[in-house]
Amino acid sequence: MALNLDDLNEPQRAAVLHDGGPLLVLAGAGTGKTRVITYRVARLIEMSVPPDHILAVTFTNKAAGEMKKRISVLAPGAGSRVWVHTFHSFCCRLLRQHHEKLKLTRHFTIYDEDDQKRTIVEAMKVLAEKDGLNLETEKKKAGMYMHVISRAKDDLLDAGSYEIHAMTSPDPARQAAARIYAVYQRLMDASGALDFGDLIMKAYDLLRNHEDVRKHYQDFFQHILVDEFQDTNRAQYGLARTLAAEHKNLCVVGDDDQGIYSWRGANIGNILKFEEDFEDTRVVTLEQNYRSTPQILEAAVSVIHYNRNRKPKKLRTDNAAGEPIETMELPNEVEEARWVVRRIAVLSEDGRSLKDFAVFYRT
């Protein structure tokens, strides 16, 4: 059965029907970017691309699960053979397949944040005995050092490379981080364990340093699609670029206006400079919003408009008008909480149930 594209608007259809080569889909909030990816995968299968030679990557297990489900509906049977992964699960699969190349055990352990912090504290104990590091003072900074080490790995800096940078810095905190990173990594290696940063960095090293593995996967993956591209870090983008070097069929979907995760390693430059990295990139912009009322969209656009580094887009919607947006400025978080509770109490008097309200807050 031919894939029905009637539910797609014109830009969505253009992205789905793109023949090949690098494709940048700038997808504003609520414009159907996941629909574009899933329909594009189904279209590639319809055009006789072997489904197991297609790789689709996103950021969360939930998003990957939803993507798999949608592809299976659009391409029954064949769709289940597409490689749909988070970056971390894809890299884990690669490393377990080729563990001997990196002298890893096939059944390596993956450390979560608690395991990482515990190992960092262990590294501090080693340094306290060796270098006279003030253990009690430094233990309070375990979370900070975990963040520093994770960001270093996002930038493809192993312990030795980070130490070279840190030791030329006048900042004693960076120098302490370099020493802790070195011991931390030795402890990780001795335990046969990897953290989340290792999964990406070591997969990248696997492709970079082992030509046979690199050429195999570059030839194998005929099409690569990356969702939430604005959230990629240097290591993730390096991995995607390496894999796409043979066929050049790299489709990235994202929104530079939603690039808010620099604090956890995301590099907005990846999406802003994609056209420079890939010649003959086709750019498709999705501007039809299906999620929000005109008032919400207008308010969001008026704020986003002032971003300095962004790709131009004009979001619009055909949705019915909603209620006006109310804003309230209050002196502190306690008064904010009180105002929210009072507001809910007043609105509840009109017969609304408490389950009709949602409160969003930053951490």
Side-chain angles (χ1 to χ4, degrees):
M1 182 186 297
L3 187 65
N4 186 353
L5 304 181
D6 291 344
D7 289 339
L8 304 180
N9 61 36
E10 186 175 335
Q12 289 174 336
R13 194 177 295 113
V16 169
L17 296 177
H18 175 66
D19 287 335
L23 174 64
L24 170 61
V25 181
L26 294 170
T31 56
K33 62 182 177 59
T34 304
R35 170 177 288 191
V36 165
I37 290 178
T38 54
Y39 269 78
R40 178 157 178 76
V41 170
R43 170 69 174 172
L44 291 172
I45 294 172
E46 187 179 67
M47 298 303 292
S48 300
V49 177
D52 55 341
H53 289 247
I54 301 171
L55 170 64
V57 186
T58 187
F59 272 81
T60 67
N61 291 322
K62 182 178 180 181
E66 179 64 24
M67 193 179 290
K68 283 182 183 179
K69 189 188 305 181
R70 293 200 202 182
I71 291 171
S72 295
V73 170
L74 293 170
S80 63
R81 291 161 48 203
V82 176
W83 288 51
V84 181
H85 285 280
T86 65
F87 270 104
H88 291 105
S89 68
F90 170 72
C91 290
C92 183
R93 181 172 176 176
L94 230 60
L95 294 175
R96 293 203 192 280
Q97 184 72 29
H98 303 282
H99 61 96
E100 73 287 347
K101 297 279 189 181
L102 298 173
K103 297 181 173 58
L104 297 171
T105 171
R106 180 178 179 82
H107 304 290
F108 56 79
T109 302
I110 301 173
Y111 275 7
D112 61 17
E113 288 189 4
D114 288 338
D115 296 321
Q116 284 180 262
K117 284 185 180 179
R118 189 165 52 250
T119 308
I120 286 171
V121 171
E122 189 64 31
M124 290 174 178
K125 290 179 181 177
V126 172
L127 289 170
E129 295 172 3
K130 178 184 175 185
D131 296 343
L133 191 73
N134 187 322
L135 182 61
E136 292 309 312
T137 300
E138 294 301 313
K139 279 171 68 173
K140 299 174 184 177
K141 303 176 185 177
M144 179 196 75
Y145 287 128
M146 183 183 73
H147 176 81
V148 169
I149 292 170
S150 296
R151 296 297 75 78
K153 292 183 179 185
D154 290 342
D155 287 333
L156 298 173
L157 293 173
D158 60 18
S161 301
Y162 184 81
E163 184 176 22
I164 292 171
H165 285 272
M167 292 312 169
T168 59
S169 168
D171 183 1
R174 286 195 68 187
Q175 295 174 13
R179 295 198 300 274
I180 290 169
Y181 185 0
V183 179
Y184 166 82
Q185 201 61 51
R186 287 203 300 271
L187 294 172
M188 294 279 288
D189 294 343
S191 300
L194 304 181
D195 59 28
F196 287 112
D198 284 327
L199 292 175
I200 311 292
M201 188 167 71
K202 288 186 180 294
Y204 179 79
D205 287 343
L206 173 70
L207 297 176
R208 182 180 60 178
N209 298 325
H210 298 276
E211 185 179 8
D212 57 332
V213 179
R214 181 175 68 252
K215 287 189 172 181
H216 168 74
Y217 285 108
Q218 286 176 340
D219 181 63
F220 184 81
F221 289 120
Q222 297 179 19
H223 285 267
I224 299 168
L225 304 94
V226 181
D227 192 14
E228 303 290 5
F229 187 63
Q230 75 280 351
D231 292 339
T232 54
N233 58 42
R234 181 185 176 192
Q236 290 161 339
Y237 184 32
L239 187 76
R241 285 182 66 181
T242 301
L243 288 170
E246 175 68 22
H247 297 287
K248 304 291 194 298
N249 293 324
L250 178 59
C251 168
V252 300
V253 184
D255 181 8
D256 50 311
D257 290 329
Q258 296 183 62
I260 61 173
Y261 290 115
S262 60
W263 56 273
R264 69 180 188 194
N267 184 352
I268 194 66
N270 293 345
I271 194 169
L272 295 175
K273 297 180 180 179
F274 184 81
E275 295 163 84
E276 297 176 18
D277 294 338
F278 287 88
E279 292 183 6
D280 304 319
T281 294
R282 182 176 183 185
V283 180
V284 176
T285 305
L286 306 184
E287 299 176 313
Q288 178 74 34
N289 178 285
Y290 295 96
R291 182 187 302 159
S292 305
T293 63
Q295 289 91 335
I296 290 174
L297 197 62
E298 182 180 353
V301 169
S302 68
V303 172
I304 292 168
H305 175 74
Y306 291 97
N307 288 356
R308 292 179 180 177
N309 299 313
R310 65 185 298 266
K311 298 280 189 177
K313 65 181 79 69
K314 297 179 180 178
L315 296 184
R316 61 186 183 278
T317 184
D318 294 330
N319 290 343
E323 296 182 11
I325 297 172
E326 295 181 47
T327 63
M328 179 62 64
E329 184 174 350
L330 295 154
N332 55 57
E333 67 273 20
V334 175
E335 289 304 316
E336 286 177 359
R338 286 175 176 158
W339 183 88
V340 169
V341 172
R342 287 196 300 267
R343 185 73 175 137
I344 291 172
V346 169
L347 293 172
S348 297
E349 294 174 357
D350 296 335
R352 292 184 177 91
S353 169
L354 290 178
K355 68 180 182 180
D356 295 330
F357 297 91
V359 179
F360 292 88
Y361 56 92
R362 294 302 296 250
T363 53

